[in-house]
Each structure stands twice: as structure tokens, then as C-alpha cells.
Amino acid sequence: MTGLLVNGSVRTAGVTLYTKNGKTVMRSSTSRQPRSNSRGQFVARQRMKHTTALWGALKVAAPMFGDGKNSYGRFCKLASALPVVFTPRQGVNAGATLLLPGMPVSDGTLPTVRQRLGEAGGSAALLTDVKVSALGRNEGLRLYMLQQTTEGGTPRVRVYSAEVPRTGAGNIGGITYQATRLSDGSLALTGNAFADEDKGWAVVRVDGERCSSQTAVTGCRQWEAFATEEALKASAETYGGLTE
């Protein structure tokens, strides 16, 4: 220790060095106590685990959350309001991603598009309050499709995005739909895909780098089996159980 001056503490190679009464002291920095895993801690960890996995699925579809410098942080903040789902440490469901109602796909300052699943002209539809004739010259609409799939037995969310035509046929993820104007001038997207409960949808208003704040509407309920008390306990056991 001769010649070593420690101002504060230094942790390395399993030991901590610090100064006490003018002398350098070394002690072990390896705790022999088991990792705390209270119910609150476990729920928080599971929320972050799934939120991170959802972001990984969403970011391939060019989501809009500000200037991109803190997109992940803004997404996480909004996603904190979503239901918590519980997955095991190992096994087929360890890396599962679940399509959750209200999942955020954008965050911005343009007016939010009100939308819901329903019917238009006898066809399944995504109904919006957007008046196409009122869109600005540089304004456009972007459609996000969130698909709940199963890959190798593992639930996965896949996300696609594409520009919405002001009228006529559109395509997203290989699925064709029709953009039509209802009698009140509002935009409706119609097609069989909008009746698929394993899909979620969101229309985002876009003007350059600006966008509206939108969340997905969906009838998907696969996530519910992962959000029960039984799912929490089963997941916790794979992490060594809960602690007091």
C-alpha cells in the first residue's frame, strides 16, 4: 500500500480501498448476502425487462419520440403506465413480448388522433377523427401495426409502419387495406385485418419531425395470462423466490 493515496474509495477485483484516519484500508466488496427480491423490487424488474423488450420490437419500425436522443427514456416513462407481465428466467417464455393495450408508439406535440376499432360500410375498420381535408400541406399520416405472433413457442410482438394514403389502397406488412372518408369527412381504414384480435393499430399524425402522441388500440388478450398473481409467483420462483 506504500505510496497509494485514496481520496474517497476505490472498488476493484473484489476489494474496496478507502482512507480512514489517514490510513488506507482494504476490505472485501463482495457481499455474501442473497440479492434482495421483495415483491415491489421484483415487479419493478419485470416491468423494466418487458419494457426493454418491447422497445427492441418497436424501434425497428421508426417510432417517433422526440429527436431520438432520449427516445428510449421517453418510451419507458410512457410505458410505466402499462400492465406488468411476468416471464420466467429461463425457458420458452423467458424472452416473451406481449402486445399490451395502450402501448405507446409516438410522443409529440401535434393534436392526438382519436381512434377505435369498429366497422365502416360493413367492413372491419380502424375509425379515426382525422378530417383529411383539414390536414396541412406537409402533414401526413403514419400507420403502425403491432402483430402478436408465436415463434418457436415464444410469444413475440412484431411492429410495422407505413405511410397512409389519403384515399385508396394502402399496404403494411404485406396486408392491404382501404383508406376511405366517411360521411362526416373523417378517415377510416377498412379491411379484414382490423378484425384480427392479435393485431394492434395506431395512426400517427406527422409533419416533418413533429408528430402526435399515440398509443395502440387492440383487442389482443394474450398478455392477460402473464399478468395474474399465479404468473407473478411462478416467475418469481425461477429467480429464487420473493424475499421479505
Side-chain angles (χ1 to χ4, degrees), residues 88-102:
R89 189 172 186 175
Q90 295 104 10
V92 69
N93 288 327
T97 47
L98 288 307
L99 175 53
L100 301 177

Side-chain angles (χ1 to χ4, degrees), residues 102-127:
M103 176 178 162
V105 299
S106 65
D107 183 31
T109 58
L110 293 182
T112 297
V113 178
R114 296 176 59 188
Q115 48 200 293
R116 63 182 176 86
L117 294 169
E119 290 189 358
S123 297
L126 178 64
L127 306 172

Side-chain angles (χ1 to χ4, degrees), residues 85 97-100 147-150 154-156 197-198 219-227:
V85 292
T97 47
L98 288 307
L99 175 53
L100 301 177
Q147 172 72 60
Q148 182 73 76
T149 65
T150 302
T154 303
R156 301 282 189 192
E197 291 188 349
D198 286 334
C220 188
R221 301 182 64 178
Q222 290 192 39
W223 65 274
E224 293 179 348
F226 292 82

Side-chain angles (χ1 to χ4, degrees), residues 169-222:
N171 186 283
I172 185 169
I175 295 172
T176 300
Y177 63 90
Q178 293 291 321
T180 61
R181 302 185 193 186
L182 303 181
S183 58
D184 65 352
S186 60
L187 176 71
L189 308 181
T190 62
N192 293 334
F194 297 106
D196 186 347
E197 291 188 349
D198 286 334
K199 289 183 172 63
W201 306 92
V203 171
V204 178
R205 201 166 183 154
V206 178
D207 185 352
E209 297 298 317
R210 299 189 302 149
C211 69
S212 57
S213 296
Q214 304 294 158
T215 60
V217 293
T218 181
C220 188
R221 301 182 64 178
Q222 290 192 39

Side-chain angles (χ1 to χ4, degrees), residues 33-63:
Q33 296 298 319
R35 186 188 188 201
S36 178
N37 197 34
S38 69
R39 183 186 179 95
Q41 290 170 326
F42 181 70
V43 170
R45 289 167 183 157
Q46 286 284 295
R47 179 189 295 281
M48 182 53 65
K49 174 187 176 183
H50 191 249
T51 295
T52 300
L54 282 181
W55 176 251
L58 179 61
K59 69 180 182 180
V60 301

